Structure formats: C-alpha cells, structure tokens
Amino acid sequence: MMLHLRRTSLLRGWSGVCRCQTGNQPSRNSSSSSTSSLFVAPDSSSAGLVLHSQSTNVYQNLALEDWIDANVDLQQRSILLLWRNRPAVVIGRHQNPWTECNLPAMRRMGIPLARRRSGGGTVFHDLGNLNLTFFTSKKAYDRQRNLKVVTEALRRVRPGLDVQATDRFDILLNGHYKISGTASRLSRKSSYHHCTLLHSADRSALSTVLRPSCPGIHSNATPSVPSPVANLLDHAPTLQWEELLDGLVNQYNAEFGFSSALTLVNPTDESVFPGLSRMETELRSWDWTFGKTPKFSVQTLLDLTDGRSSARSSAQLHMEVKNGLIESCELDVPADWLPRRLSGELVNMLVGERFCPHGAAAAVALLLRSESGELQTRLHHLCDAVLSVMG
Amino acid sequence: MAMRTALWCLSANFSPRLPLLSSAAQVSATRLLWRTGSPRTLSTTSVLSTALKFTDKHEWVRVEGGIGTVGISNYAQEALGDVVYCGLPEVGQSLEQMEEFGALESVKAASELYSPLTGEVTEINTELAENPGLVNKACYAEGWLIKMTIEKPEELDSLMDQAAYDKFLKSLEE
C-alpha cells in the first residue's frame, strides 16, 4: 500500500545526508535507492521511521511537525522525530504569553516566543533540551507507551537511574525533578505526542524567562503547572548526546518492533517538504503567536509618583484584550495630576491597538508630540507606565 | 400566504412516516417545495428542523428554525477526557464543511473541531469559557459549542442519523 503523499512524490533527489536503511528495502525508484526507501510502501521492517531534524529553528521545527501531521499517512506507519532548538520559549495552544513568560526579558536576551498547536504548558527550549515527537494514527495513540520508550532507554544506558513517568505524563528524576513534559494533538486521522527531555539546558535562563510579564492579568487560558527541574547531565555526567540518541532510537525500535535507522531531515528543503515554509510563516506571525491568546482582562494600579514631587499618585488601569488587541480601556487618572482630556485621548489611541509595547508606542508618540512642558512630561510618564504593563 | 404556511407545515412534518399523505403525494409535495419561491428562501424552509445528525469526526448538528447547533457526541467527549478549554471561532466567521473551526483542549490532547456544514457562525456557547466541563457533562444539551446558518442543506444528507452513527461506532470497536 503506497504511502499517501498529497502534494508531491518524494522520489526526487535528496539533498541532505541520509543514513537510511538499504539492502532488502524494495526500491521504487532505482536512481536513488536510499532516498526512495524513506516513504516507500512499508513492510513490517520499515513501518517505523526515525527522523532527526537538521534545523535548530523553533518555527521550522514546529512547521515540520505540522507538515508531517498533514501530509504523511500515519495509518500504516509511525514516525519518531527528534529535534532541538536554539533558545526559545514555547507556549501551549490556549495559553497566555503575558502570564506564562517574561516577554521583556526575552526581548533583551534575544529569545523568541512560539505558540505550538498542541495543548499543555510553557517550556523553555535550548540546545541542551531534546524534543521527541511520536506520530501515529489516532488508534495507536498511547502516551504512556511512548514515555516508556524514554524511561527504558535511559535505564538501559544508565542502569540504576531513577526515572519514572507520572500519571500527568511528566518524567521525574529521583522522584521529584521534572526532566520531561508532554503535550499532544489529535487531528483528522492522526495524532502526535511530543515531549521534552532536559539533558543540559541553561537552567538559569529557564527560570528567568518562565515568569509572568506583568501582574494583574485575569484569564481563563490554560495555566502551566510549575515544577522544579533538573538536567540529566548533572546526574549522569558521562551521558553524551550520541549515546542518548542511539539509546532512544534502539528503544523505539524495540518497543514497537521496528528496525529503522536515524535519518537526517532538512525542513528548509522545499523539494522534500513542499509547503512547509508557508506553515512556518503562519507560526511566526503575530496573529498566531499573540493573537490566539484567549480573551483576558488586565486590572492594575499604575504608580505615577515621580521623583520631584513628594505627592504619591497612582492610576487605575482596566483593559479587556481579545485576539491580542485592546478591545476596551479604562484609565482613571487623578484630574489634578493630568487633565481628563489627555488621559481620555490616550485611552482613545489605545483601543484597537495590539496589546504590545511596540504596537501601542507608535500611536502614543503622536499624542505626546502635541503637548509640551510639564503636561508632556506627565503624559510621557503615564504612557510609559501603561506600555510597561504590556510586556 | 396560506399556501406558504401549508408548505412550511409540510416541511416541518416531513418524515419517512407521514400518515396522511400517500408516498406519491409526499414526493409531489417535495417537488412543490423546491419549485416555488426563491431557492434561497426554500433552502432554509425545507430544513426547518432535523433530528441529530452526526459526522464521522463525532460532531453532531441539530437544525431548528434554519439554524444548526453543533456539538460533540458522547463517544467523543468520553474519548477526550475532561475538557479544560474550548477554543471556539468568532461570531460571523464563515465555515466550510470539514474546515477546522476550533479546538478542545482536554487532559488528553488538543483536539481539532471540524465543521459539519457550510455556513456562518451565529452564536458561540459563552458558558463554556467558565465551565468547559459542560462539554463532558451535557454534550447534547448545555455543552453545545456553536450555532451556525445552513448554506447548503444538501450537506445534511451526507451526515449520519442516529442509527447510522451507532452502527459506525460499533464498526470502530472492531
């Protein structure tokens, strides 16, 4: 039964390095036997595939997952995809980035934000974290079995290592350090379950970014459950990547009765993955990353005290944000600090703008230019306070 | 006016067992419905109400007054586990049959929702924002997801009725 590929035949050239299983694979295209075997009719020995992404770009790798989910027939075959990203924060499908991560810190550190399509909580990715995605049909969806691949692999390479999957589908080291979290997605006919595995991640960066951006947010978005984490390398200091990856591939094959070797894939190769870059563009977009945030409200007190006067002043701010845009805004500023006309104008400028310091700053700059002297200083102060709430 | 009212009554009662009309009369009644008036008006009047219809993705749709209410079946809510969040579309959004219109996040996974029909979203169940568990507790009643217009009533014919859906579920278990 030919593997159904909607867009193109993958029997064309293969630009990346490919360590595919050759030998007794029936070859559909004699000109490139090793590459064609990748998606050829699966017999029992090739019903599983292990792929390793050459990309370390979080958007490309998330798009690769989407591409496989949409284009590969997973009824007859399963895939394990291994991937790592340069530093990034990844939030779940229905989460609120302003409550889950520290957006100003991420901007300073050059760490991008991505929203994945699966559910679950927020994670920090860097090259010390391995991501594993198990693709199967919906029928074969079994998260505990997939996690068993990970825990068994770890026990085999380091006997005596205390690793255990919980009923929340975390993997704990020594009973309380989280080294892996899980999320998944069910689509038309297929499913994928992905999990992280902390090998040697930067824990200081992790704890800096996984903090709220601003206080005062009320939302019913799915919250993360924070846990203390640990790196495998700290508890198994000689466990290098090569040994870990080999162990995982072997255990995947053993658990499911496959015999596939690790195959490198390049998600930027449009001849192999046509349409992937379009999926990547969507994942990078503001509308997906921020605009998909469930409706939320912000209620906070802005401190307007400036260094010069001894009088303390504060303003009450209330905003409703929908699809990442400021749907409504109430700003209660003492009239003796700033004329209501000006705070009213600020409110009008903000409604309809993105809940984002950059988006709103442009609108606000216009307003500031129209004032001068003490009023302008105070207005500027107020604007800064409002913008800082937006992360 | 009276004629139209009569036609409306006929369509509301049109079911395989219509005791007062012979089968020949039933057929000609349908033909009448489709011929008079503008096609658009007729397409909504001819589907004033239906019993539950199901998709093979385990969504159901129930038509009342030309508006379809959409939800997920008991099989689906059981398979999903406890729903923790409902990601629903905007009112006014146009949907094609089979198009993804949202997702339900449960302890099990984020599962896509597929539109059973082509139409426009008229209402979303705002109760689900505070109480997503309604989808599990009352999937055919208070746990409804969206309401939509029915642009192509013939799509309803491609959906399964209760008996066909029950049979479909049995086949899945094999």
Side-chain angles (χ1 to χ4, degrees), chain A residues 314-390:
Chain A
S314 60
Q316 182 76 249
L317 175 69
H318 178 191
M319 280 185 182
E320 295 288 322
V321 183
K322 188 172 165 190
N323 299 328
L325 304 176
I326 299 170
E327 198 180 46
S328 71
C329 177
E330 278 155 43
L331 195 50
D332 197 2
V333 185
D336 57 358
W337 193 82
L338 194 73
R340 294 226 183 270
R341 164 185 72 86
L342 283 179
S343 45
E345 273 179 49
L346 177 58
V347 164
N348 288 337
M349 294 247 100
L350 288 172
V351 173
E353 287 296 321
R354 288 180 174 177
F355 185 74
C356 157
H358 296 303
V364 157
L366 248 112
L367 182 63
L368 282 173
R369 249 179 262 143
S370 63
E371 299 301 320
S372 58
E374 179 67 20
L375 276 185
Q376 193 198 51
T377 309
R378 289 196 174 180
L379 186 58
H380 200 152
H381 202 53
L382 177 65
C383 291
D384 281 348
V386 172
L387 292 178
S388 72
V389 169
M390 300 192 214

Side-chain angles (χ1 to χ4, degrees), chain A residues 94 120 141 143 185 188 220, chain B residues 98 105 108 110 112 114 129:
Chain A
H94 301 120
Y141 176 70
R143 289 171 295 176
R185 181 176 135 106
R188 254 176 260 268
N220 66 340
Chain B
M98 295 275 279
E105 189 167 341
K108 189 154 190 175
E112 293 299 323
Y114 301 93

Side-chain angles (χ1 to χ4, degrees), chain A residues 92-95 117-121 138-139 141 143 169 184-189 220-222 293-295 322-323, chain B residues 57 79-80 84-87 90 98-100 102-105 107-112 114 128-130 171-172 174:
Chain A
R93 173 77 179 270
H94 301 120
Q95 291 205 295
R117 292 193 196 277
S118 55
K138 269 161 107 160
K139 263 202 176 131
Y141 176 70
R143 289 171 295 176
F169 307 100
S184 38
R185 181 176 135 106
L186 300 174
S187 33
R188 254 176 260 268
K189 286 206 165 75
N220 66 340
T222 55
T293 306
K295 186 170 177 172
K322 188 172 165 190
N323 299 328
Chain B
K57 302 275 165 298
L80 260 185
V84 300
Y85 187 80
C86 302
E90 299 287 307
M98 295 275 279
E99 190 186 336
E100 287 174 9
L104 295 181
E105 189 167 341
V107 292
K108 189 154 190 175
S111 303
E112 293 299 323
Y114 301 93
L128 297 177
E130 292 296 310
S171 74
L172 291 179
E174 280 139 28

